[in-house]
Structure formats: structure tokens, C-alpha cells
Amino acid sequence: MKTYKVAVIAGDGIGPEVLREGIKVLEKVAELDGQFTFEFVHFPWSCQYYLKNGKMMDEDGMERLAAFDAIYLGAVGYPGVPDHISLWDLLLRIRKGFDQYVNLRPIKLLEGAYCPLKGIERQDVDMIVVRENSEGEYAGAGDWLFKGKPEEVVLQTGVFSRKGTERIIRYAYELARKTGKTLTSISKANALNYSMVFWDSVFVEVGKEYPDVKTYSYLVDAASMFFVREPQRFQIVVTSNLFGDILTDLGAAVAGGMGLAAGANINPEGRYPSMFEPVHGSAPDIAGKAIANPLASIWSASQMLDFFGHEEWGRIVLKAIEHVMVQGKYLTPDMGGAAKTEEVGDAVVSILSKIKQ
Ligand code: NAD
Ligand code: IPM
Ligand code: MN
């Protein structure tokens, strides 16, 4: 019997509420399969933890996490702790420290999911955003000079290394080749005259090794417009850290809402654990009301199953999510329903058992 060791960082706000349902689903999958189990170890690291202990994670936190097969994370950030502290000391620390340089965010209109766009067919929204996840605009390089003085100057430097740029673009080409899909690079070389000129040139250069992959290149402003007007243009998308962040919230809005958007932070070499988490944040506006949509977390759990090589189970979990949405009986308010978070998780679990029979 294989046991997957999963570190759970439920975090803040709705994080613990939605993760509970994802864990329920993973446990049901393991039970139905019979060949593997999960061992979940919970870490209390969060803004609450910070307010009590003055730190977002323990000093030896990264070493402890390194022993796990994967990390399952809810959300980090809550009023009362400055966001740049909570995020840099926990979420971004893990992404960077574990070199999870690939952020895979599917934007796929599942059956039963609501799309606010007019004249769009379900199959028109089916892409995977490959977001650079280790450097770029999130490098954290900069300075704050003459703080509070009239001559105050703030610098936030984007860092695009050859290694970092090449490896994410290569990953996207490989994915496009493997899946037989087109690859679109999204950048902004007309204004960002160093970083994005470099990005575009690497995209062309690496592309020479992939003559079989059909490519497109868009400026990010036009790409945002096409995400809404003609999402069918995109299949595999590769883009920088910040553009990927923004575009995937836009993508979420197009494909069923924030309550459904999933993501995986991958260290492809497997040297460190990868991390699975919904795209959304801690949603302070609805936290504690038991109405958060757990489907994004459950979809992230499906990505974890894929990552562990249980793609069949990954597909079955997605199917179960679709069943719940098509049935429409157990949906949270963001999807127009009146169900509680827990009822949605229970509905997914009960459908899983039926699909498996
Ligand atoms: P958010 O994603 O938390 O919320 C944006 C809107 O979407 C809110 O109206 C919220 O109610 C709604 N929403 C989000 N997830 C939902 C769900 N599962 N079900 C139903 N509705 C949902 O973004 P924000 O308000 O800008 O950020 C809140 C906090 O979360 C901030 O501290 C921010 O830094 C942090 N954040 C963390 C992550 C992460 O941990 N990965 C991601 C984004 C934001
Ligand atoms: C996300 C979040 C994070 C990001 C924040 C919380 C640092 O918005 O995962 O999309 O920008 O990557
Ligand atoms: Mn984001």
C-alpha cells in the first residue's frame, strides 16, 4: 500500500473551510481505490499564527515540509497582518524555496459551470496557463530610498534570468508537444524594453527546437481582450509571473468564477514537494459563514492526483465536480445556490462513490 504524505497548510479565512472538503474528497478516492492512502499532517501557519508567534512559519518549517510528497494549501493573507509580510513569509517562500517554478492553472469551462460571455460554446474555453512562478516581477528585488522624504524613490525590479525564462518556456513547449495543442506566449515587449524583449526572443529561440508546435505571441493588453472576446484562441499559454497572476483571475471569471479556479505549483524535477492550492485568496468578506465554494480546492486535489500519476482519478474527480454543477442542487451562493461549503463537498464525495460502482 502506497502512502502519500501531504502537508496541509489551511491558512487564513476560507482556506480551512475549503481545504476540509478537498481532504474529504482525497480520502474518499483513496478508500475507493484501495491501493493507496494519504497521510495528512496539518500545520497551523497563518496570519493568526503570526499574531501569536511573530512569524508566519517555524524556523525549521521548510526543512519539515521538504519531507512531504506534496503540500495542500488553502489561502494566506488576512486583515491585521500586512499582505506583503504574510505572503512573502509563507506562500511565496514556499514557491521560491522549493523552486516550484511552474504554476499550472487550467481555465476550462466544465460542464455545468456558468460562463458570463455571450455566444461562447463550452469547448471554446479550454486552456492551461503556464505561469512563471519563481522570479520576474515577483523577484522581490528593489529598494525604498529616502522613505517619507520629498525625494522618496521606490524601486521594484523585475528579474528575468536566462535560466528562469528558458525553463518555463521550454516546459510550455513540451506540454504543447505532448498534448498536440497550440502555444501562445503573452508578454509586453512594446513597453518593457528589456525584460519582455528578452522573453520574446527566448520564446522564438527555444521554439526552433519545436517546429511541430504551432505558436502565437500576444501583447498582454490585447490578450486580456481576447480572453473575453475569443477565448478559443488560446490552448497552452505561457506568461510571466505577474501577467499570469492577473490573467488567471480573469480566466476564472470566464470559466465559472473564483470558487472554481484551481492551481498547481510544480517543481518538475521532483527535488522538492509541489504545492496544490486554489487560485483564490482567503476571501475575508465571506470567511466564517460556511458558504465558501470548495470546488476550486477540490479541483486542485484532482491536480494532485494527476501529479501522483493517478490521472484516471484526477479525471473522475473532475467528472464528479461536473455532476454536482449540472445537478445544481448543492451549489454555494457564488454559483447561484444556497448550499453550505460542507454540502458541496459531501455531494462530490457521494457522486464519487456512484461513479466508481
Ligand atoms: P480573494 O480571491 O480572496 O477574493 C476575491 C473575491 O472572490 C471575494 O469577493 C471573495 O468572496 C470571492 N471568492 C474567492 N474565493 C471564493 C470561494 N472559494 N467561494 C466563493 N467566493 C470566493 O481575493 P482578495 O479579496 O483580493 O484577497 C483576500 C486575501 O487573500 C488577501 O490577503 C490576499 O493577499 C490573499 N490572497 C491569497 C492567495 C493565496 O493564498 N493563494 C490568493 C489571492 C489572494
Ligand atoms: C495567487 C495570489 C498570489 C500571487 C499572492 C497572494 C501573492 O494572488 O496565487 O494568484 O500573486 O501569486
Ligand atoms: Mn492571484
Side-chain angles (χ1 to χ4, degrees), residues 13-217:
I14 63 168
E17 301 172 32
V18 294
L19 230 55
R20 202 173 298 129
E21 305 311 311
I23 290 171
K24 218 187 255 172
V25 167
L26 286 170
E27 274 175 339
K28 189 69 192 178
V29 164
E31 179 198 317
L32 291 169
D33 184 276
Q35 303 294 308
F36 61 87
T37 57
F38 290 98
E39 183 191 328
F40 296 103
V41 178
H42 294 256
F43 293 87
W45 303 328
S46 60
C47 287
Q48 256 180 12
Y49 192 81
Y50 179 90
L51 291 173
K52 227 164 129 196
N53 304 288
K55 53 194 170 192
M56 287 301 294
M57 86 158 54
D58 297 329
E59 266 84 51
D60 62 351
M62 292 297 283
E63 285 102 90
R64 281 159 71 195
L65 288 177
F68 287 84
D69 297 310
I71 301 165
Y72 193 30
L73 185 134
V76 180
Y78 215 69
V81 180
D83 262 356
H84 66 278
I85 293 177
S86 56
L87 273 315
W88 269 93
D89 288 359
L90 188 54
L91 179 73
L92 295 178
R93 183 159 171 211
I94 297 171
R95 285 184 189 167
K96 286 164 191 284
F98 287 157
D99 209 15
Q100 296 165 345
Y101 62 87
V102 178
N103 191 189
L104 286 182
R105 295 186 161 182
I107 298 174
K108 180 178 165 69
L109 192 58
L110 297 184
E111 227 186 303
Y114 170 72
C115 177
L117 307 179
K118 253 194 186 157
I120 294 291
E121 305 286 332
R122 191 157 304 287
Q123 60 274 14
D124 291 341
V125 183
D126 188 0
M127 54 177 122
I128 297 180
V129 174
V130 180
R131 170 191 180 192
E132 203 295 316
N133 212 29
S134 66
E135 54 169 33
E137 308 88 342
Y138 283 47
D143 211 337
W144 198 317
L145 304 167
F146 316 114
K147 218 171 191 167
K149 304 223 169 72
E151 63 271 34
E152 193 163 19
V153 174
V154 178
L155 306 169
Q156 186 86 47
T157 307
V159 176
F160 291 76
S161 66
R162 168 152 294 271
K163 177 182 165 194
T165 308
E166 227 178 89
R167 67 183 181 178
I168 193 67
I169 286 176
R170 193 174 293 284
Y171 184 95
Y173 270 109
E174 286 290 334
L175 186 60
R177 172 175 278 172
K178 200 174 89 191
T179 54
K181 298 198 167 175
T182 65
L183 175 62
T184 301
S185 163
I186 297 181
S187 62
K188 183 72 186 170
N190 53 358
L192 303 181
N193 53 341
Y194 297 107
S195 58
M196 291 295 161
V197 173
F198 175 66
W199 176 283
D200 283 357
S201 74
V202 173
F203 185 67
V204 171
E205 189 185 306
V206 174
K208 295 205 177 102
E209 296 169 42
Y210 299 85
D212 49 315
V213 175
K214 174 102 186 100
T215 62
Y216 301 92
S217 193

Side-chain angles (χ1 to χ4, degrees), residues 105 245 249 279:
R105 295 186 161 182
D245 175 46
D249 266 37
V279 169

